[in-house]
Amino acid sequence: MNKFGKAFSFTTYGESHGKAIGAIIDGVPAGLCISEEFIQKELDKRKPGVNKFSTPRKENDKVEILSGVFEGVSTGTPISLIIFNQNQKSKDYSNIKDIFRPSHADFTYHYKYGHRDYMGGGRSSARETAMRVGVGAIAKLILNELGIVVSSGVYQIGNIKSHNLDFEYAKTSEIYSLDKEQEEKQKQEILKAKNAHDSIGGSVKVVIKNTPKGLGEPLYYKLDAILCSAMMSINASKSCSIGLGQESIQMNGSKFNDAIRQDGFSSNNSGGILGGISNGEDIEITTYFKPTPSIFIEQDTITKDNINTTCKIKGRHDPCVAIRGSIVCEAMASIVIADMLLLNMGKKMDNLKKIYKK
Amino acid sequence: MNKFGKAFSFTTYGESHGKAIGAIIDGVPAGLCISEEFIQKELDKRKPGVNKFSTPRKENDKVEILSGVFEGVSTGTPISLIIFNQNQKSKDYSNIKDIFRPSHADFTYHYKYGHRDYMGGGRSSARETAMRVGVGAIAKLILNELGIVVSSGVYQIGNIKSHNLDFEYAKTSEIYSLDKEQEEKQKQEILKAKNAHDSIGGSVKVVIKNTPKGLGEPLYYKLDAILCSAMMSINASKSCSIGLGQESIQMNGSKFNDAIRQDGFSSNNSGGILGGISNGEDIEITTYFKPTPSIFIEQDTITKDNINTTCKIKGRHDPCVAIRGSIVCEAMASIVIADMLLLNMGKKMDNLKKIYKK
Amino acid sequence: MNKFGKAFSFTTYGESHGKAIGAIIDGVPAGLCISEEFIQKELDKRKPGVNKFSTPRKENDKVEILSGVFEGVSTGTPISLIIFNQNQKSKDYSNIKDIFRPSHADFTYHYKYGHRDYMGGGRSSARETAMRVGVGAIAKLILNELGIVVSSGVYQIGNIKSHNLDFEYAKTSEIYSLDKEQEEKQKQEILKAKNAHDSIGGSVKVVIKNTPKGLGEPLYYKLDAILCSAMMSINASKSCSIGLGQESIQMNGSKFNDAIRQDGFSSNNSGGILGGISNGEDIEITTYFKPTPSIFIEQDTITKDNINTTCKIKGRHDPCVAIRGSIVCEAMASIVIADMLLLNMGKKMDNLKKIYKK
Amino acid sequence: MNKFGKAFSFTTYGESHGKAIGAIIDGVPAGLCISEEFIQKELDKRKPGVNKFSTPRKENDKVEILSGVFEGVSTGTPISLIIFNQNQKSKDYSNIKDIFRPSHADFTYHYKYGHRDYMGGGRSSARETAMRVGVGAIAKLILNELGIVVSSGVYQIGNIKSHNLDFEYAKTSEIYSLDKEQEEKQKQEILKAKNAHDSIGGSVKVVIKNTPKGLGEPLYYKLDAILCSAMMSINASKSCSIGLGQESIQMNGSKFNDAIRQDGFSSNNSGGILGGISNGEDIEITTYFKPTPSIFIEQDTITKDNINTTCKIKGRHDPCVAIRGSIVCEAMASIVIADMLLLNMGKKMDNLKKIYKK
């Protein structure tokens, strides 16, 4: 159950404070140029400790390719990515060892498995998402060859919405904000929470441009369903929308429906997907992240033995997970598209003939 | 890709106006009492034509079990459900044969497959959801044996929210409304759209009670991710949330986090799921449906040959898909829980010993 | 677990004496011409009761397509095949209801599931293989378009081997014998067993010609591994070999190895597969069937309550399952090749560019 | 496609001369005691260079656990095993870089992928089987807890059969021979091939004792079909049999059928499996290995550019792969049983009640 995807798929392993975290990617087509440098650059976008809006914790993660790439080119065999943890087991976890941090996975891992690695959240730590970004980088290399572009940015922090969606600007923003005008207010929202030893929620937009028509496998591997599943598998996400999403419930069909013209769709309320299949328009996904559960205020909780107690979390944590979360959303979207590209190839007899007929 | 679920799984087939629609369910444990009557009753909840809030189209669907049940009890072999279509190919589809209805799947099926059944939407018709309700009925029979209860209801129509979540009342409401007080306004919202030959969106809540702690398989088969994928695979859904969902982005962690006490959680903002695993609290899912794409107002579109034209849809369609959609959401949630119950059984060595040790 | 294949996959349902048996095929590319007539013809090859070498039981199976084909052409949606059982529940099974027939699945279904359909073997009956032949027919239609040809024949009955492999002759032989010269002796072997109220084993060869190089997905979906799994899933098969198979253990590498020349391989001891991938030579598979477990001689067995008893099977059964089994082997091989053709399409970046680059 | 198993599953990666080989195991139940020492001991059984019957090549493989085990006990999260390659890229491969070694996978990897790692066979090298043995060790730990025992041994080398199946003796034999009496002759067969710079084939038996009744998931995940698929996925295997296997084709049903008595089956010709499900008797599997393709005699072959040439393989290779292959067969059988144990848990409603009912 630690595997995602069907044709382009990956499996991750590793705990926050174990020896290493890693991923095996299965299904990368042979003949793709792959460099550790590109993967590293993608990973660095998710790196914390670079400014005051994320955790001051340093993670100088260095990714390594262990297999599947020969002379810089993929061979079609599994690609193994690994990051060795640098500060494993270095910390004192006695304060959280026997209690359940509120709104963390401590409680549920305990009841599901009986035995859990409590250090830094173990397997349930968001540290695992580093591997998703690594895998996403390889997916992006495939997409690049076909001209498909995936971008992301932070849309809303607390009450502060972006009024503009500038995905180019987001790349340069310290908080990956989509709106230069609203960015300062969004930053203040984060600092206000941080200074109160608290945290704040936020939302992230991903847009996918130049997707071919026809991606998505109805009825139970629809493009929108799998994109949402991908986003909802990211730590702290509580909701996911396609196109206008929740706004659409207040609309009439005559307003919502996207008229079609010779030169394309007149609007894109559907967010680029109809009947679970891409229609060639921009694919638009919004993911909603709850506030970071780790706050530095005393909270009520219980011990493993079901005794009432309180906990006060130490350590360093992002005041707003949505910021670095945007990089993870972008990676997961890239992975879904790579998977769908491969799955779609066999859906027409004409395609089989193109490849097999002499 | 027409299969859903891993341990309790089903595959559906069939087009809106073909000979039949059906499902094969694989993984139903042996020894479960199964009656066609119970399945039929569940199906009847989704039946249109019973009042003025749904399409006047009659679908006197009669479900039949073809296999997997012997002397009223499941044998552990695949259960095949079938509904024969009664009015197949009876209608004149010449007006939509060569055009793409706006916000329907006509356009994308055409580009993906090249060859499509245009009659009543063919495979992309919501008629397929009848089979989901049939499969969901069997999932419910498993849940019943373990005391788990899944309920649903309509939360919002257009701008009219429910202020109260009365799942018992919803069962008796003509529009499955969760709030007796708001129901009349919600009905008016539907009729207003209907009378204008238009449609309206809506949202649906599902609640699951008495779920054991520990359901959900991190990291890529998390309970919330798969529930959302299930909901997003339903026709016309554009967004899905767990617990407080999108509201959570405006909250601080100190407000959102659910404190834990000896006798349970102090709040349930998380909607019963932490780290992708059930925590024993009520599981709360909200699904958002766009307005029915089929409206009776002239719309701009193109032909298969990419010529601008207009279309005016005939026939009978629901003014608000959320109503009957609630029954489908309930069915899909039941299916996900049945699947997760089976998957979770092997997660502890103690469980293996319980079953295999003499 | 009633599903086979990944990209071209099918799921079957149905019991020997239930209402119907059927299959859903998922992954058939759109744009394939499909006729019920062709499928019926394939099914008729497996039909019993046509001569004295198979059971005199009549099965006038009529296959019907319920979905996925529109105007004679596949739409890319699931294809549902169904055969309604004609003589369901007509027989008296009281003599086998509470006992386990030796070397049948009665015993194991009882212990696995606790509740079983005892009529004609229920789900474990070889009747299910009719659906495999139906699905195989559709796989063959894909293969035909690409020039790939799958043939089968009976190689050995009891001690009587074929000395010659004439797949064309086999099509016309009453016992699908591969060797006109040995056929009479093979027939005598069958009749000898039949007249003694006994049964006899046999082996079947399948050859696949014109397979493209490159089919098979190492390391755990190798072409040979999946072909063997397919054959071993057929009732009564006890062994499966590729190429020289078991003979190879007595050989030296210098004798076994297939030298390679500009114009192809100098020999084909490997049976067309190297490292789990097709090499373009003929693929050769041999499947070994035990004697039919149903014999008309009294045998020692026990009741469900573990009391010693004897059973004497009534009814009509093939004296040698290998004969009709050859048709099933051919179907399963066709299905595996169709699946592998689809899976292989995405293994090279060049193929993605062929399909997606404008 | 580098994943094996459903509930207990693993994915491997790595090339013969890359940085490392590894495996991720998903689905190990929480609460299992796991030690690197035990895994290492299993791996050492497969280690070459210990006597004159295997390659003199040294592989001092040291396995490491990277995740999924906390304080010596499994946590239910993925277990990552890794072995770093010690002599990567050290050798000169210029002589085989541009040619295809006969009966190796060089030819097919080239045609399938276009780009291949030629060093030591790359991904197609039998070196990957080390990881299977590592994974098998963990499967065995599960089996141990339930009293299930898997053993293996070499049955035949060239023409020399074992007349006796002594699985205890095999553990101590230099060639894992099942028969002390025949061992010397079998050794001579190997040395004869070795001294002639040639290789020889052989066969391996695996027996599984104390398997519960009911393992195996018909119809397409039958215990015998999956065991054969597992064996056929091992390098150089060309055939696989269950129970009497190919002998059964010469037998009458009256001789083959296993009568059933109160205290068990009177014979075990079926090899412990009926209808794809274990019957509680010993499960018996035979796997047939072709002679090692790497021989030190000049052979005809072609270059990548399809020019006739010859090749003479250098290096150190096993004269008979069946010997070390037996350890791999044992590992794969253990893995299949672990998988089937987990899958079978949900097949009866009674089992669900045992685990979920309070």
Side-chain angles (χ1 to χ4, degrees):
Chain A
M1 307 299 175
N2 290 276
K3 177 172 170 281
F4 184 86
K6 288 189 187 280
F8 179 99
S9 73
F10 70 96
T11 309
T12 68
Y13 64 86
E15 282 80 41
S16 177
H17 288 64
K19 287 189 182 176
I21 56 172
I24 304 182
I25 314 160
D26 205 351
V28 180
L32 182 72
C33 292
I34 292 178
S35 75
E36 275 178 2
E37 287 66 31
F38 179 78
I39 304 172
Q40 188 64 50
K41 255 189 224 164
E42 290 292 305
L43 275 172
D44 289 348
K45 293 182 189 169
R46 185 196 154 277
K47 193 162 89 170
V50 294
N51 62 45
K52 62 189 167 186
F53 304 104
S54 72
T55 166
R57 191 176 60 241
K58 299 286 179 199
E59 293 181 5
N60 288 314
D61 290 341
K62 184 84 190 65
V63 72
E64 228 180 300
I65 297 174
L66 296 179
S67 68
V69 179
F70 187 66
E71 298 173 345
V73 176
S74 67
T75 59
T77 64
I79 296 179
S80 169
L81 301 180
I82 195 165
I83 296 173
F84 287 96
N85 288 328
Q86 294 177 312
N87 297 308
Q88 54 175 114
K89 303 188 182 181
S90 61
K91 242 178 81 183
D92 178 15
Y93 284 97
S94 55
N95 66 319
I96 59 163
K97 185 175 179 304
D98 296 319
I99 61 153
F100 306 128
R101 292 167 298 162
S103 285
H104 268 278
D106 301 346
F107 181 91
T108 51
Y109 271 68
H110 174 79
Y111 278 101
K112 184 177 186 72
Y113 299 113
H115 176 69
R116 92 189 149 90
D117 175 352
Y118 50 77
M119 295 192 304
R123 179 68 180 157
S124 70
S125 166
R127 179 152 175 68
E128 186 263 357
T129 61
M131 292 322 306
R132 305 187 187 210
V133 176
V135 177
I138 290 176
K140 276 189 176 184
L141 290 171
I142 297 173
L143 273 46
N144 285 350
E145 298 258 340
L146 305 172
I148 304 166
V149 181
V150 183
S151 309
S152 69
V154 168
Y155 177 68
Q156 184 169 346
I157 303 286
N159 291 307
I160 314 301
K161 271 189 197 168
S162 297
H163 300 149
N164 188 19
L165 299 186
D166 186 340
F167 287 94
E168 278 312 301
Y169 180 72
K171 290 180 190 168
T172 69
S173 160
E174 284 183 310
I175 59 164
Y176 300 130
S177 175
L178 285 163
D179 187 345
K180 198 178 178 173
E181 304 302 315
Q182 300 302 311
E183 185 183 14
E184 192 49 40
K185 282 195 214 163
Q186 292 172 335
K187 285 181 171 178
Q188 288 312 317
E189 199 82 351
I190 298 169
L191 293 178
K192 195 172 65 184
K194 186 183 173 185
N195 295 335
H197 307 294
D198 210 334
S199 61
I200 185 76
S203 69
V204 164
K205 296 243 183 225
V206 173
V207 69
I208 310 167
K209 288 180 176 293
N210 301 332
T211 310
K213 297 181 187 78
L215 301 192
E217 302 299 323
L219 292 180
Y220 297 105
Y221 211 66
K222 286 181 171 173
L223 183 51
D224 36 9
I226 300 308
L227 282 167
C228 284
S229 164
M231 299 308 152
M232 292 299 290
S233 76
I234 302 173
N235 308 44
S237 64
K238 295 304 287 181
S239 180
C240 184
S241 297
I242 301 296
L244 286 193
Q246 302 191 6
E247 285 177 53
S248 59
I249 69 171
Q250 302 186 27
M251 293 168 75
N252 290 120
S254 57
K255 180 125 185 267
F256 183 90
N257 285 357
D258 300 313
I260 323 178
R261 301 282 75 192
Q262 272 183 357
D263 52 355
F265 288 80
S266 304
S267 55
N268 188 22
N269 296 331
S270 301
I273 303 175
L274 291 172
I277 301 171
S278 64
N279 66 7
E281 299 293 303
D282 290 356
I283 295 171
E284 296 171 359
I285 312 139
T286 315
T287 308
Y288 301 83
F289 291 95
K290 69 177 186 183
T292 320
S294 293
I295 55 173
F296 309 106
I297 299 168
E298 195 170 78
Q299 297 177 87
D300 281 348
T301 191
I302 54 169
T303 66
K304 285 201 305 186
D305 305 318
N306 206 29
I307 307 297
N308 280 346
T309 183
T310 60
C311 81
K312 204 166 162 184
I313 295 171
K314 297 172 193 165
R316 292 155 299 176
H317 299 281
D318 284 307
C320 177
V321 290
I323 300 170
R324 299 202 285 136
S326 69
I327 303 303
V328 184
C329 289
E330 187 179 316
M332 290 304 291
S334 303
I335 290 163
V336 171
I337 298 299
D339 193 29
M340 294 292 181
L341 281 165
L342 293 173
L343 289 173
N344 182 53
M345 292 175 77
K347 296 311 172 212
K348 278 183 188 168
M349 270 312 293
D350 281 356
N351 288 355
L352 275 87
K353 288 177 194 166
K354 262 184 213 167
I355 285 174
Y356 290 114
K357 267 222 159 158
K358 287 151 201 171
Chain B
M1 307 297 172
N2 290 276
K3 176 172 170 281
F4 184 87
K6 288 189 187 279
F8 178 99
S9 73
F10 70 96
T11 308
T12 67
Y13 64 85
E15 281 81 41
S16 177
H17 288 63
K19 287 190 183 176
I21 56 172
I24 304 183
I25 314 160
D26 205 351
V28 180
L32 183 73
C33 293
I34 292 179
S35 76
E36 275 179 3
E37 288 67 30
F38 179 78
I39 305 172
Q40 188 64 50
K41 255 189 224 165
E42 289 292 305
L43 274 171
D44 289 347
K45 294 181 188 170
R46 185 195 154 278
K47 193 163 89 169
V50 294
N51 60 46
K52 61 188 167 185
F53 304 104
S54 71
T55 167
R57 191 177 60 241
K58 299 284 180 199
E59 294 180 6
N60 288 313
D61 291 340
K62 183 86 190 66
V63 71
E64 228 180 300
I65 297 173
L66 297 179
S67 67
V69 179
F70 186 67
E71 298 173 346
V73 176
S74 66
T75 60
T77 65
I79 297 178
S80 170
L81 301 181
I82 196 166
I83 296 173
F84 287 95
N85 288 328
Q86 293 176 314
N87 297 308
Q88 53 174 115
K89 301 189 183 183
S90 60
K91 243 178 80 181
D92 177 16
Y93 284 97
S94 55
N95 67 320
I96 59 164
K97 186 175 177 305
D98 296 318
I99 62 154
F100 306 129
R101 291 167 298 161
S103 286
H104 268 277
D106 301 347
F107 181 90
T108 51
Y109 271 68
H110 174 79
Y111 278 101
K112 185 177 186 73
Y113 298 113
H115 176 71
R116 93 189 147 88
D117 175 352
Y118 49 78
M119 296 192 304
R123 178 70 180 155
S124 69
S125 165
R127 178 151 176 69
E128 186 263 357
T129 60
M131 293 322 306
R132 305 187 189 211
V133 176
V135 177
I138 290 176
K140 276 188 177 184
L141 289 172
I142 297 174
L143 273 46
N144 285 350
E145 299 258 341
L146 305 172
I148 304 166
V149 180
V150 183
S151 310
S152 69
V154 169
Y155 178 67
Q156 184 169 346
I157 303 286
N159 291 307
I160 314 301
K161 270 189 196 165
S162 297
H163 299 148
N164 188 18
L165 299 186
D166 185 341
F167 288 94
E168 280 310 303
Y169 180 72
K171 290 181 190 168
T172 68
S173 161
E174 283 183 310
I175 60 164
Y176 300 131
S177 175
L178 286 162
D179 187 346
K180 195 177 179 174
E181 304 300 317
Q182 301 301 313
E183 185 183 14
E184 192 49 40
K185 283 195 212 161
Q186 291 171 336
K187 285 181 170 179
Q188 289 312 316
E189 199 82 349
I190 298 169
L191 293 179
K192 194 173 65 184
K194 186 183 173 185
N195 295 335
H197 307 294
D198 211 335
S199 61
I200 185 76
S203 69
V204 164
K205 296 244 182 224
V206 172
V207 69
I208 310 168
K209 288 179 175 296
N210 302 331
T211 311
K213 298 181 186 78
L215 302 193
E217 302 299 322
L219 292 180
Y220 297 106
Y221 211 67
K222 284 179 172 175
L223 182 50
D224 36 9
I226 300 309
L227 282 168
C228 284
S229 164
M231 298 307 153
M232 292 298 290
S233 76
I234 302 172
N235 307 45
S237 64
K238 296 304 285 182
S239 180
C240 185
S241 298
I242 301 295
L244 286 193
Q246 302 191 7
E247 285 176 54
S248 60
I249 70 171
Q250 302 185 27
M251 292 167 77
N252 290 120
S254 57
K255 183 129 182 262
F256 183 90
N257 284 358
D258 299 314
I260 323 177
R261 302 281 77 192
Q262 274 183 356
D263 52 355
F265 288 80
S266 304
S267 56
N268 188 21
N269 296 331
S270 302
I273 302 175
L274 290 171
I277 302 171
S278 64
N279 66 7
E281 299 293 304
D282 289 356
I283 295 172
E284 295 172 359
I285 312 140
T286 315
T287 308
Y288 301 83
F289 291 94
K290 69 176 185 183
T292 320
S294 293
I295 54 173
F296 308 105
I297 299 168
E298 195 169 77
Q299 298 177 86
D300 280 348
T301 192
I302 55 170
T303 66
K304 284 201 306 187
D305 305 318
N306 205 29
I307 308 297
N308 280 345
T309 184
T310 59
C311 81
K312 205 167 161 184
I313 295 170
K314 296 172 195 167
R316 293 155 299 176
H317 299 281
D318 283 308
C320 177
V321 290
I323 300 169
R324 297 202 288 137
S326 69
I327 303 303
V328 184
C329 290
E330 187 180 316
M332 290 303 291
S334 304
I335 289 164
V336 171
I337 297 299
D339 193 28
M340 295 292 181
L341 282 165
L342 293 173
L343 290 172
N344 182 54
M345 291 175 77
K347 296 312 172 212
K348 278 184 188 166
M349 271 311 294
D350 281 355
N351 289 355
L352 275 88
K353 288 177 194 165
K354 262 184 214 167
I355 286 174
Y356 291 114
K357 268 223 158 158
K358 288 150 200 169
Chain C
M1 309 296 172
N2 290 276
K3 176 172 170 281
F4 184 87
K6 288 188 187 282
F8 178 99
S9 73
F10 70 96
T11 308
T12 67
Y13 64 85
E15 282 79 42
S16 177
H17 288 63
K19 287 190 183 176
I21 56 172
I24 303 183
I25 314 161
D26 205 351
V28 180
L32 183 73
C33 292
I34 292 178
S35 75
E36 276 179 3
E37 288 66 30
F38 179 79
I39 305 172
Q40 188 64 51
K41 254 190 224 165
E42 290 292 305
L43 274 171
D44 289 347
K45 293 181 188 169
R46 185 196 153 278
K47 194 162 88 170
V50 294
N51 62 45
K52 61 187 168 187
F53 305 104
S54 70
T55 166
R57 192 176 61 240
K58 298 286 180 199
E59 292 181 6
N60 288 314
D61 289 341
K62 184 86 190 66
V63 72
E64 226 180 302
I65 297 174
L66 296 180
S67 68
V69 179
F70 186 67
E71 298 173 347
V73 176
S74 66
T75 60
T77 64
I79 297 178
S80 169
L81 301 180
I82 195 166
I83 295 173
F84 287 95
N85 287 327
Q86 294 176 313
N87 297 308
Q88 54 175 113
K89 302 188 181 181
S90 60
K91 242 178 81 182
D92 177 16
Y93 284 97
S94 55
N95 66 321
I96 60 164
K97 186 174 178 303
D98 296 318
I99 63 153
F100 306 129
R101 291 168 298 161
S103 285
H104 269 277
D106 301 347
F107 181 90
T108 51
Y109 271 67
H110 173 79
Y111 278 101
K112 185 177 186 70
Y113 298 113
H115 177 69
R116 90 190 151 88
D117 175 351
Y118 49 77
M119 297 192 303
R123 179 68 179 156
S124 69
S125 164
R127 177 149 176 70
E128 186 264 356
T129 61
M131 292 322 306
R132 305 186 188 211
V133 176
V135 177
I138 290 177
K140 276 189 175 182
L141 289 172
I142 297 174
L143 273 45
N144 285 349
E145 298 258 340
L146 305 171
I148 304 166
V149 181
V150 183
S151 311
S152 69
V154 169
Y155 177 69
Q156 185 170 346
I157 302 286
N159 291 306
I160 314 299
K161 271 189 196 166
S162 296
H163 300 149
N164 188 19
L165 300 187
D166 186 340
F167 288 94
E168 279 311 303
Y169 180 73
K171 290 180 191 169
T172 67
S173 160
E174 283 183 309
I175 60 165
Y176 299 131
S177 175
L178 286 162
D179 187 346
K180 197 178 179 175
E181 303 302 316
Q182 300 302 312
E183 186 183 12
E184 192 49 39
K185 280 195 215 163
Q186 292 171 335
K187 285 181 171 178
Q188 289 313 315
E189 198 81 349
I190 298 168
L191 294 178
K192 195 173 65 184
K194 187 183 172 185
N195 295 335
H197 307 293
D198 210 335
S199 62
I200 185 77
S203 70
V204 164
K205 296 243 182 223
V206 172
V207 69
I208 310 168
K209 289 180 174 294
N210 302 330
T211 310
K213 296 181 186 78
L215 301 193
E217 303 298 323
L219 292 179
Y220 297 106
Y221 212 67
K222 285 180 171 174
L223 182 50
D224 36 8
I226 300 309
L227 282 168
C228 284
S229 164
M231 299 307 153
M232 291 299 290
S233 75
I234 302 172
N235 308 44
S237 64
K238 295 304 285 183
S239 181
C240 184
S241 298
I242 301 295
L244 286 194
Q246 302 191 6
E247 286 176 52
S248 59
I249 69 172
Q250 302 186 27
M251 291 167 77
N252 290 119
S254 57
K255 181 126 185 267
F256 183 90
N257 285 357
D258 299 314
I260 323 178
R261 303 281 76 193
Q262 274 182 356
D263 52 354
F265 287 80
S266 304
S267 56
N268 188 21
N269 296 331
S270 301
I273 302 175
L274 291 172
I277 302 171
S278 64
N279 66 8
E281 299 293 304
D282 289 356
I283 295 172
E284 296 171 359
I285 313 140
T286 315
T287 308
Y288 301 82
F289 290 94
K290 70 177 185 183
T292 320
S294 292
I295 55 174
F296 308 105
I297 299 169
E298 195 168 78
Q299 298 177 85
D300 280 348
T301 191
I302 54 170
T303 67
K304 285 202 305 187
D305 304 319
N306 204 30
I307 308 297
N308 280 345
T309 182
T310 60
C311 81
K312 204 166 164 184
I313 296 171
K314 297 172 195 168
R316 292 156 300 177
H317 298 281
D318 284 308
C320 177
V321 289
I323 300 170
R324 299 201 288 136
S326 69
I327 303 302
V328 183
C329 289
E330 187 178 317
M332 290 303 290
S334 302
I335 289 163
V336 171
I337 297 299
D339 192 29
M340 294 293 182
L341 282 165
L342 293 173
L343 290 173
N344 182 53
M345 291 174 77
K347 296 311 173 214
K348 278 183 188 167
M349 271 311 295
D350 282 355
N351 288 355
L352 275 88
K353 288 177 194 166
K354 262 184 213 166
I355 285 174
Y356 290 114
K357 268 223 158 158
K358 289 151 200 171
Chain D
M1 308 297 174
N2 291 274
K3 177 172 170 281
F4 184 86
K6 288 189 188 280
F8 179 99
S9 72
F10 70 97
T11 309
T12 68
Y13 64 86
E15 282 79 42
S16 177
H17 288 63
K19 287 189 182 177
I21 55 172
I24 304 182
I25 314 160
D26 206 351
V28 180
L32 183 71
C33 292
I34 292 178
S35 75
E36 275 179 4
E37 289 65 32
F38 179 79
I39 305 172
Q40 189 63 50
K41 254 189 224 165
E42 290 291 305
L43 274 171
D44 290 347
K45 294 181 188 170
R46 184 196 156 277
K47 194 163 87 170
V50 294
N51 61 46
K52 61 188 167 186
F53 305 104
S54 71
T55 167
R57 192 176 62 242
K58 298 287 179 197
E59 293 180 6
N60 288 313
D61 291 342
K62 184 83 190 67
V63 72
E64 228 179 299
I65 298 173
L66 296 178
S67 68
V69 179
F70 186 67
E71 299 173 345
V73 176
S74 67
T75 59
T77 65
I79 297 178
S80 169
L81 301 180
I82 195 166
I83 296 173
F84 287 95
N85 288 327
Q86 294 176 313
N87 297 308
Q88 54 175 114
K89 301 189 183 182
S90 60
K91 244 178 82 181
D92 178 16
Y93 285 96
S94 56
N95 66 319
I96 60 163
K97 184 175 179 305
D98 296 318
I99 62 154
F100 305 128
R101 292 168 297 161
S103 286
H104 267 277
D106 301 347
F107 181 90
T108 51
Y109 270 68
H110 173 79
Y111 278 101
K112 184 176 187 71
Y113 298 113
H115 177 69
R116 93 189 148 90
D117 175 352
Y118 49 77
M119 296 192 304
R123 178 69 179 156
S124 70
S125 165
R127 178 151 177 68
E128 186 263 357
T129 59
M131 293 321 308
R132 306 187 188 210
V133 176
V135 177
I138 290 176
K140 276 189 176 182
L141 289 172
I142 297 172
L143 273 46
N144 285 349
E145 298 258 339
L146 304 172
I148 304 167
V149 181
V150 183
S151 310
S152 69
V154 169
Y155 178 68
Q156 184 169 349
I157 302 287
N159 291 307
I160 314 300
K161 272 188 196 166
S162 296
H163 299 149
N164 187 19
L165 299 187
D166 185 341
F167 287 93
E168 279 311 302
Y169 181 72
K171 289 180 190 169
T172 68
S173 160
E174 283 183 310
I175 59 164
Y176 300 130
S177 174
L178 285 162
D179 187 346
K180 197 177 179 174
E181 305 301 316
Q182 301 301 313
E183 185 183 15
E184 192 48 41
K185 282 195 213 163
Q186 291 171 336
K187 285 181 170 178
Q188 289 311 318
E189 198 82 349
I190 298 169
L191 293 178
K192 194 172 65 184
K194 187 184 172 185
N195 294 335
H197 307 293
D198 210 335
S199 62
I200 185 76
S203 68
V204 164
K205 297 242 182 225
V206 173
V207 68
I208 310 167
K209 289 180 175 292
N210 301 330
T211 311
K213 297 181 186 80
L215 301 193
E217 301 299 322
L219 291 179
Y220 296 105
Y221 211 67
K222 284 180 172 175
L223 182 50
D224 36 8
I226 299 309
L227 282 167
C228 283
S229 164
M231 299 307 153
M232 292 299 290
S233 76
I234 303 172
N235 309 44
S237 64
K238 296 303 286 181
S239 181
C240 185
S241 298
I242 301 295
L244 286 193
Q246 302 192 6
E247 286 176 53
S248 58
I249 68 172
Q250 303 186 27
M251 291 166 76
N252 290 120
S254 57
K255 180 123 185 269
F256 183 91
N257 286 358
D258 299 314
I260 323 178
R261 303 281 76 192
Q262 272 182 357
D263 52 354
F265 287 81
S266 304
S267 55
N268 187 21
N269 296 331
S270 301
I273 303 175
L274 291 172
I277 302 171
S278 64
N279 66 7
E281 299 293 304
D282 289 356
I283 295 172
E284 295 172 358
I285 313 141
T286 315
T287 308
Y288 301 82
F289 291 95
K290 70 177 185 182
T292 319
S294 292
I295 56 173
F296 308 106
I297 299 168
E298 196 170 77
Q299 297 178 85
D300 281 348
T301 190
I302 55 169
T303 67
K304 284 201 307 186
D305 306 318
N306 205 28
I307 307 298
N308 280 345
T309 184
T310 59
C311 82
K312 203 166 163 184
I313 294 170
K314 296 172 195 166
R316 292 156 299 177
H317 298 280
D318 284 308
C320 177
V321 290
I323 301 170
R324 298 202 289 136
S326 69
I327 304 302
V328 184
C329 290
E330 186 179 317
M332 291 303 291
S334 303
I335 290 164
V336 171
I337 297 298
D339 193 28
M340 294 292 181
L341 282 165
L342 293 173
L343 290 171
N344 182 54
M345 291 174 77
K347 297 311 172 212
K348 278 183 189 168
M349 272 311 294
D350 281 354
N351 289 355
L352 275 88
K353 288 178 195 167
K354 262 184 213 166
I355 285 174
Y356 290 114
K357 268 222 159 158
K358 286 151 203 170

